Amino acid sequence: MRFKLSIIIPIYNSADFLSGILEDLEQASKESLFEVIIVDDGSSVDQKEKEQEILSAREIPNLRVFWNRHGFQAQARTFGLTRVNGEFVLFLDSDDRLPPLAIQKYISNLDGHDLIIGSVNKQIGQHTFMEKPHNFFYNDKQRSVADFLTKNNETDVGLWNKVFSVNFLKKNAVIFWGENFFEDTMFILETLVSINPDRVLFLSEITYTLIKRSSSTTGTYDTDLPRKVSGFERAVETYLQSKEIELSEKARSAWRLRLQFFILNRKIFSGNSDFVAEISIFRRYGLLKILNNKHLKMKYRLSMIFAMISPGLYSKLYAKH
């Protein structure tokens, strides 16, 4: 059976949070026709049993569940893509929520587009705020890539607020990067480079609720992070060379500074105070050059300078944030 929309959800030891997104999908199925593909990425035996109980308690039409060996999220999504029967695909995380009518809104806007993007509600503790994605989809691909890499926010690089044409993904060989790190960003970057901007639609409505938890991978520090960041940097440069897209020196520097700033903030957020290497990179680049690099948003320029001048105070203030 063919569907307009397929929804892929990787799960891994997700029993504590899975019921929320399933409840939202069950409710959405009363208004719209779609299929749901859940790929378990090798959950532990006890978690798998709990997940099975949660899944069996829900009445979601056209739901298929696959139980795979552990291979991380990118591999689970890739597997899910090989099983879709839909013309379009939406990737969701198992621990977030869908606002009412989000699926219906997507489905009603699919015709004539290869990518539909919605706004996001970000929930951090008791605080909730809306984050709108930027439109980096220009005809000038060099400018598109430079702005995307240096000015993006979480809503721009996340998959969960975007619906993709399956035919577009296949035609342009848009795939998930092998590493389980920045794989969403690489997927969006490949889409950005390949897509016709006229076939991208931005919705004004909120189509996703992103729940930030301290236990998530975005709230912890991986000691292998610097190596992974370097690998991601090489992968992006290799990909851009294959597409004959060259960043200006200022854009490349801004992007590399953003990556180091990412490492710095991950360390601070997780309580790691050893960020001498990252501060040294900012200082070598220079205060004035950071301040005058307009590829960086002003908030990043000022934050980097603050971290350079008073790393201890910056660390305390960011940790409280």
Side-chain angles (χ1 to χ4, degrees), residues 150 248-255 285 289 292-295:
T150 60
S248 69
E249 189 54 42
K250 272 197 170 183
R252 184 178 287 106
S253 296
W255 172 48
Y285 190 73
K289 287 178 73 175
N292 292 323
N293 194 324
K294 294 184 179 179
H295 284 282

Side-chain angles (χ1 to χ4, degrees), residues 5-55:
L5 181 66
S6 297
I7 298 172
I8 297 174
I9 309 175
I11 63 175
Y12 176 69
N13 294 339
S14 303
D16 291 343
F17 308 113
L18 183 58
S19 59
I21 195 74
L22 293 180
E23 178 184 344
D24 298 336
L25 289 170
E26 184 178 43
Q27 188 61 38
S29 69
K30 298 174 182 178
E31 307 291 339
S32 305
L33 180 64
F34 54 87
E35 71 167 347
V36 179
I37 298 170
I38 291 180
V39 183
D40 181 88
D41 186 42
S43 295
S44 64
V45 174
D46 61 325
Q47 281 282 309
K48 186 181 292 185
E49 289 176 352
K50 292 177 182 177
E51 290 165 358
Q52 288 172 325
E53 289 178 8
I54 294 168
L55 286 163

Side-chain angles (χ1 to χ4, degrees), residues 19-284:
S19 59
I21 195 74
L22 293 180
E23 178 184 344
D24 298 336
L25 289 170
E26 184 178 43
Q27 188 61 38
S29 69
K30 298 174 182 178
E31 307 291 339
S32 305
L33 180 64
F34 54 87
E35 71 167 347
V36 179
I37 298 170
I38 291 180
V39 183
D40 181 88
D41 186 42
S43 295
S44 64
V45 174
D46 61 325
Q47 281 282 309
K48 186 181 292 185
E49 289 176 352
K50 292 177 182 177
E51 290 165 358
Q52 288 172 325
E53 289 178 8
I54 294 168
L55 286 163
S56 62
R58 291 293 171 187
E59 295 182 3
I60 302 174
N62 310 306
L63 168 66
R64 288 182 287 156
V65 183
F66 298 90
W67 306 94
N68 292 359
R69 292 182 178 180
H70 188 46
F72 296 105
Q73 189 163 249
Q75 186 171 317
R77 285 173 172 159
T78 298
F79 177 87
L81 267 176
T82 67
R83 299 298 191 274
V84 297
N85 293 307
E87 297 176 37
F88 290 79
V89 63
L90 169 65
F91 301 96
L92 301 180
D93 285 352
S94 61
D95 57 349
D96 294 324
R97 300 298 300 262
L98 278 173
L101 304 182
I103 300 299
Q104 187 175 5
K105 188 67 179 178
Y106 279 136
I107 291 176
S108 64
N109 285 281
L110 296 178
D111 292 346
H113 301 104
D114 289 325
L115 177 63
I116 302 96
I117 304 174
S119 293
V120 173
N121 252 351
K122 293 180 76 170
Q123 184 177 313
I124 305 175
Q126 300 299 315
H127 304 285
T128 300
F129 60 95
M130 183 176 76
E131 186 170 280
K132 289 186 176 182
H134 296 96
N135 186 351
F136 297 128
F137 296 86
Y138 322 136
N139 288 316
D140 182 345
K141 295 301 182 180
Q142 184 178 29
R143 178 173 161 241
S144 287
V145 170
D147 283 356
F148 173 73
L149 291 175
T150 60
K151 295 182 171 69
N152 67 70
N153 60 32
E154 191 171 17
T155 305
D156 300 316
V157 299
L159 292 175
W160 13 254
N161 63 323
K162 300 173 181 68
V163 169
F164 302 84
S165 160
V166 173
N167 184 57
F168 164 81
L169 296 179
K170 290 179 178 178
K171 181 180 178 181
N172 294 279
V174 177
I175 60 174
F176 286 102
W177 184 42
E179 286 277 347
N180 192 57
F181 181 75
F182 274 139
E183 72 276 8
D184 292 11
T185 305
M186 281 295 296
F187 196 89
I188 303 299
L189 175 63
E190 292 181 21
T191 299
L192 179 82
V193 169
S194 303
I195 204 164
N196 178 347
D198 293 335
R199 294 186 64 82
V200 180
L201 175 67
F202 282 81
L203 301 176
S204 59
E205 293 86 355
I206 293 169
T207 58
Y208 198 69
T209 299
L210 178 65
I211 303 173
K212 307 291 285 184
R213 295 182 173 88
S214 59
S215 59
S216 72
T217 55
T218 56
T220 57
Y221 181 72
D222 177 1
T223 55
D224 203 26
L225 187 58
R227 182 197 64 80
K228 291 180 177 179
V229 167
S230 295
F232 168 68
E233 187 177 335
R234 289 192 300 271
V236 169
E237 291 184 343
T238 299
Y239 173 74
L240 294 182
Q241 286 174 6
S242 73
K243 297 297 181 179
E244 299 182 344
I245 296 174
E246 185 174 353
L247 296 177
S248 69
E249 189 54 42
K250 272 197 170 183
R252 184 178 287 106
S253 296
W255 172 48
R256 288 172 174 166
L257 287 169
R258 276 287 306 266
L259 291 175
Q260 294 304 315
F261 197 54
F262 170 78
I263 296 173
L264 169 68
N265 289 336
R266 275 286 183 93
K267 284 184 173 181
I268 292 172
F269 192 68
S270 64
N272 186 324
S273 59
D274 181 16
F275 37 80
V276 175
E278 291 73 39
I279 297 297
S280 296
I281 290 171
F282 299 152
R283 287 175 175 163
R284 283 200 301 271

